[in-house]
Amino acid sequence: MRFIGRRRQRLEAQEFSFYDIGARSASLGGAFTAQADDITALFYNPAGLAFLDGLRIKTSMNFSTRALSATWPGGEGDFTSSQNEIIGNFFLSWQPLKGITLGAGYFSPYNFDSAWPASWSGNLVSASAKLYAHTFRTALAVEPIEGLALSAALDVVSMSVAWDHRIPFDLENYTLTHEILVLSRHEAGGHGLGFAAGALWKVFSGLQVGARYQKSAAVDVAGRNVFVFPNSVQYNYDIVPDPYGGMRSVSSLLDLFYVPQEVTGRLTLPREIACGVALRPLPRLSLNLDVEWDRWSE
């Protein structure tokens, strides 16, 4: 994540956190597009559901503490943000007829959470930033030809974002008694729709190839921008000239400058295309390779 400073210098920190949805796929480094042989296929390649019989249910929970470090250009010292995260996933599949499988699942593979100390000079750009993306997916997978599976899925994406930064309050023609930093807090959320498709072909025993396409999902978010005045009691005793005559407390002046307002925006989960090969040349040796193309840069 990059923030632009006043002198056009960059602050660089770690990017989004990407989670492997299941333990099996995580053990393969996420190269699961052509394997897709458990219910987490709903995420990696929903076509794999066509080969799963009966009723299956799976849930998982991820606990993590991610440490992000950053240095503000020209600032002193490095700062670290260590946020605790709990991420849950749930999957269900049912095959009413051989070769036809219905699936549904809830997962949250993309998140970002940071909070920086008040002493960090970069808090004029960001004091904290949070993004949570949750997806509820329903899918239909079929096996029209033995060994070949196709699938289509509909996504309902829910996103929530929050961003805090501090704004220095100064008056050009009057020196204030105390330094004032106003905390600006944005909070917004919304829902959007997405689409995914997959294909999985068991070419012969020991060789499988798979592909997944995930359409970009645009989410329009709406919320509010509110302002918090630290040490506001202290500002009641700081007096400044009132533009309309007389004197006014700084606390009441802040209420005129910073008024809560509605905010809107748009966030987009990028489209992704993944292709994979699963090869088992020997009974106890398997090789999995995935190549993924996405548009996270946008």
Side-chain angles (χ1 to χ4, degrees):
M1 176 168 284
R2 293 176 178 176
F3 302 112
I4 305 301
R6 290 182 178 178
R7 290 179 292 177
R8 307 299 293 176
Q9 293 176 297
R10 296 187 306 182
L11 165 71
E12 298 193 5
Q14 294 177 357
E15 297 186 3
F16 289 97
S17 175
F18 295 86
Y19 294 92
D20 286 315
I21 296 300
R24 181 168 170 75
S25 58
S27 68
L28 296 173
F32 206 57
T33 304
Q35 191 74 34
D37 56 358
D38 71 13
I39 197 172
T40 60
L42 184 71
F43 171 75
Y44 290 98
N45 186 355
L49 298 176
F51 301 117
L52 303 180
D53 57 1
L55 176 66
R56 305 193 182 203
I57 299 175
K58 182 175 183 177
T59 185
S60 63
M61 190 77 71
N62 294 330
F63 300 89
S64 68
T65 298
R66 291 191 302 116
L68 292 84
S69 60
T71 301
W72 184 258
E76 296 181 0
D78 297 333
F79 295 95
T80 300
S81 171
S82 298
Q83 299 295 92
N84 297 319
E85 298 174 318
I86 301 177
I87 306 297
N89 308 293
F90 178 81
F91 298 94
L92 180 149
S93 72
W94 176 48
Q95 188 175 86
L97 299 172
K98 181 174 174 55
I100 299 178
T101 305
L102 303 174
Y106 170 86
F107 46 86
S108 179
Y110 318 118
N111 292 291
F112 181 83
D113 193 345
S114 68
W116 307 103
S119 57
W120 180 43
S121 58
N123 60 27
L124 301 183
V125 175
S126 178
S128 68
K130 300 179 182 181
L131 182 149
Y132 297 103
H134 307 276
T135 299
F136 176 74
R137 171 172 291 177
T138 56
L140 170 65
V142 298
E143 186 184 3
I145 302 174
E146 185 175 357
L148 175 64
L150 304 173
S151 66
L154 177 66
D155 294 341
V156 178
V157 181
S158 174
M159 300 186 74
S160 60
V161 293
W163 172 49
D164 294 348
H165 69 108
R166 292 180 171 84
I167 305 172
F169 179 72
D170 298 309
L171 297 177
E172 292 185 5
N173 301 322
Y174 193 87
T175 302
L176 298 175
T177 306
H178 300 92
E179 180 186 29
I180 300 176
L181 289 177
V182 178
L183 179 63
S184 173
R185 175 169 298 161
H186 297 73
E187 293 183 348
H191 299 81
L193 295 178
F195 172 80
L200 183 60
W201 181 26
K202 296 185 177 182
V203 183
F204 53 78
S205 178
L207 175 62
Q208 297 181 188
V209 294
R212 179 188 85 247
Y213 169 76
Q214 183 170 308
K215 183 181 180 296
S216 60
V219 180
D220 291 318
V221 297
R224 286 178 64 78
N225 174 208
V226 298
F227 301 94
V228 179
F229 312 125
N231 304 320
S232 58
V233 175
Q234 171 183 291
Y235 303 149
N236 286 330
Y237 301 99
D238 291 342
I239 304 300
V240 295
D242 192 312
Y244 301 101
M247 303 296 287
R248 175 188 290 270
S249 69
V250 172
S251 179
S252 63
L253 189 63
L254 292 174
D255 290 331
L256 296 179
F257 272 82
Y258 301 101
V259 179
Q261 58 188 333
E262 304 297 321
V263 295
T264 60
R266 169 169 288 190
L267 298 171
T268 303
L269 291 182
R271 66 178 177 270
E272 298 179 356
I273 299 175
C275 300
V277 177
L279 177 65
R280 187 182 293 273
L282 299 172
R284 295 191 177 184
L285 175 65
S286 63
L287 304 173
N288 291 70
L289 172 67
D290 266 25
V291 177
E292 182 175 314
W293 178 85
D294 59 48
R295 301 300 296 270
W296 276 105
S297 60
E298 297 181 352

